Amino acid sequence: MKKRITLKMMANEFGVSISTVSKALKDSPEISQELKEKIQAFANYYHYRPNSLALNLRNQKTKTIGVILPEIVHHFFTKVITGIEQLANDKGYNVMICLSNESYEKEVINLEMLANGIVDGIIISVSKETEERDDYRHFEGLMRDGIPLVMFDRVVDKIDCNKVIADDIGGGFQATEYLVKNGCSRIALITTPDYVVVGNKRKEGYLKALNEYGIPVQEDLVIKVKHENEIEGCLNDLFGRSVVPDAIFAVNEIYAATAMKACRKNGYQVPQHIEVIGFTDGLISEFTSPSLTTVAQHGRSMGRKALELLLDEIDSNETEYEYKTSLIKTDLKIRNSTRKVQLQN
């Protein structure tokens, strides 16, 4: 993708001053016709549009990075911040953190505030409401203005920028495969609505594992939860059936911890009656009773990689900047909410 062109880049390209480029674009008689035509043709090719904000961001670094998180209560996001902060300190950058609280409007306000010349670039995990609305115009405007942007975890395929994602499909597959190899065949999935990208990809891994091991998909075992306070009610309905699941895979650790609570409430022991696996290896996973087997998505590594990509773009003078998507591998941490069975290849 063609990177947003600036006066400074054009000046470097033609070996002239920024003032000369500015005058050429304004068709000043002080500049030769030949040079004016070359500069104007170059500017047209790269869709140059004067923008004082973008120019300020490129030429006067603030040494500050903006980070927008959907929420801070999840241990995963605190790990991401730790990874960002550690590298930022090493590179002499400050970090400004904002919360969208899963709100589209708050996300837009935060983005506009950070883009107002106070940061050199922005790292963001998109809010659930933004995903639900499927409205990404605020990101499109940011990209047009040439402001460096990295999305992590919850990313938008429609926006061409640097991205860092966990291997959500692979993690969903790992969790489901482990349960299958433990002898489970009625594996319930507690997931998010399909518009939440990470939940949908973890569901994809779950379905892939069932298919690979020849286990029919039972749609009534796939529970999509929009609000966390709905989980217990959904599980109570599930446990009220004549045949209950023998395992539960939940796409985050809060869903998983709530599932274990619902199991106990309905008279089922974990893992003796029902095995449970979560996603995201946080404090909840470690200190639930029993401790929760979970897919670790390595938030600290994700945060560090997001800042690496952002600094690479900030420091780049390339007119053709190639955006990258970095995949962080997951692994399964076996604890006491599942039976410890040696996997066979």
Side-chain angles (χ1 to χ4, degrees):
M1 178 180 177
K2 295 182 179 65
K3 194 175 182 180
R4 175 77 181 183
I5 199 71
T6 67
L7 293 176
K8 183 179 180 181
M9 292 176 183
M10 287 189 280
N12 290 338
E13 178 72 20
F14 291 99
V16 298
S17 68
I18 291 175
S19 175
T20 297
V21 173
S22 180
K23 290 177 180 178
L25 294 174
K26 294 175 182 177
D27 206 25
S28 170
E30 298 177 40
I31 311 301
S32 71
Q33 187 64 30
E34 181 182 3
L35 182 58
K36 281 194 293 187
E37 289 177 356
K38 288 181 178 179
I39 291 174
Q40 289 169 3
F42 187 86
N44 288 335
Y45 178 76
Y46 285 103
H47 306 295
Y48 172 74
R49 180 169 60 87
N51 186 287
S52 58
L53 169 59
L55 184 62
N56 180 60
L57 283 170
R58 289 297 189 188
N59 297 335
Q60 299 180 25
K61 291 183 180 178
T62 66
K63 302 297 285 185
T64 301
I65 298 300
V67 180
I68 304 176
L69 303 175
E71 54 190 337
I72 201 67
V73 294
H74 283 191
H75 189 69
F76 166 70
F77 290 117
T78 64
K79 287 289 189 182
V80 171
I81 287 297
T82 300
I84 293 172
E85 283 275 8
Q86 288 175 344
L87 182 58
N89 290 338
D90 293 343
K91 298 294 185 180
Y93 276 81
N94 296 310
V95 179
M96 180 179 294
I97 301 171
C98 300
L99 298 179
S100 68
N101 292 320
E102 302 288 12
S103 162
Y104 170 84
E105 297 296 341
K106 190 69 183 296
E107 182 176 279
V108 171
I109 291 170
N110 285 334
L111 207 64
E112 289 176 349
M113 182 270 292
L114 292 175
N116 196 26
I118 62 175
V119 298
D120 296 331
I122 298 170
I123 297 172
I124 187 170
S125 183
V126 178
S127 73
K128 288 181 181 177
E129 190 174 35
T130 298
E131 291 182 307
E132 182 177 11
R133 291 175 61 147
D134 196 28
D135 184 349
Y136 308 114
R137 286 172 294 178
H138 49 311
F139 295 122
E140 293 167 356
L142 201 73
M143 301 307 295
R144 284 195 299 270
D145 288 339
I147 299 173
L149 174 70
V150 176
M151 293 182 175
F152 76 92
D153 191 42
R154 301 182 200 163
V155 304
V156 180
D157 291 339
K158 297 176 183 178
I159 301 299
D160 194 13
C161 66
N162 283 319
K163 301 179 177 79
V164 184
I165 56 175
D167 184 10
D168 292 303
I169 296 174
F173 183 92
Q174 284 176 306
T176 309
E177 179 185 54
Y178 186 82
L179 293 170
V180 170
K181 290 189 173 183
N182 273 6
C184 301
S185 60
R186 300 186 307 281
I187 303 170
L189 174 71
I190 308 175
T191 185
T192 54
D194 286 343
Y195 59 76
V196 179
V197 174
V198 292
N200 199 32
K201 288 187 179 297
R202 291 166 194 175
K203 183 183 77 171
E204 185 177 340
Y206 159 86
L207 296 174
K208 180 181 177 183
L210 293 182
N211 181 66
E212 185 164 313
Y213 286 92
I215 298 175
V217 176
Q218 300 179 56
E219 293 296 338
D220 62 341
L221 292 180
V222 177
I223 301 170
K224 298 177 183 179
V225 178
K226 188 170 185 179
H227 302 292
E228 290 173 3
N229 58 9
E230 300 173 356
I231 302 173
E232 278 200 70
C234 292
L235 286 171
N236 288 337
D237 292 340
L238 186 65
F239 293 140
R241 300 174 189 173
S242 57
V243 179
V244 300
D246 52 15
I248 296 172
F249 168 44
V251 300
N252 64 50
E253 64 179 359
I254 291 179
Y255 286 12
T258 307
M260 288 200 296
K261 178 181 176 183
C263 287
R264 289 192 296 271
K265 182 178 177 181
N266 285 275
Y268 297 100
Q269 295 182 20
V270 176
Q272 291 87 344
H273 300 139
I274 300 175
E275 299 188 48
V276 180
I277 293 182
F279 207 110
T280 302
D281 184 34
L283 293 175
I284 293 175
S285 300
E286 188 174 355
F287 293 109
T288 53
S289 181
S291 58
L292 181 64
T293 295
T294 186
V295 179
Q297 61 186 127
H298 306 296
R300 185 182 284 108
S301 297
M302 185 174 288
R304 186 177 182 89
K305 187 63 180 182
L307 185 53
E308 285 178 1
L309 291 176
L310 188 67
L311 295 180
D312 180 69
E313 184 177 358
I314 289 170
D315 294 336
S316 175
N317 288 317
E318 298 294 326
T319 54
E320 297 274 351
Y321 183 82
E322 184 177 350
Y323 295 118
K324 307 171 186 70
T325 296
S326 180
L327 183 72
I328 306 296
K329 288 293 185 181
T330 60
D331 58 72
L332 197 60
K333 289 201 171 183
I334 309 301
R335 294 196 178 96
N336 295 325
S337 66
T338 54
R339 290 176 287 114
K340 295 178 175 62
V341 176
Q342 181 66 42
L343 295 183
Q344 300 295 324
N345 290 328

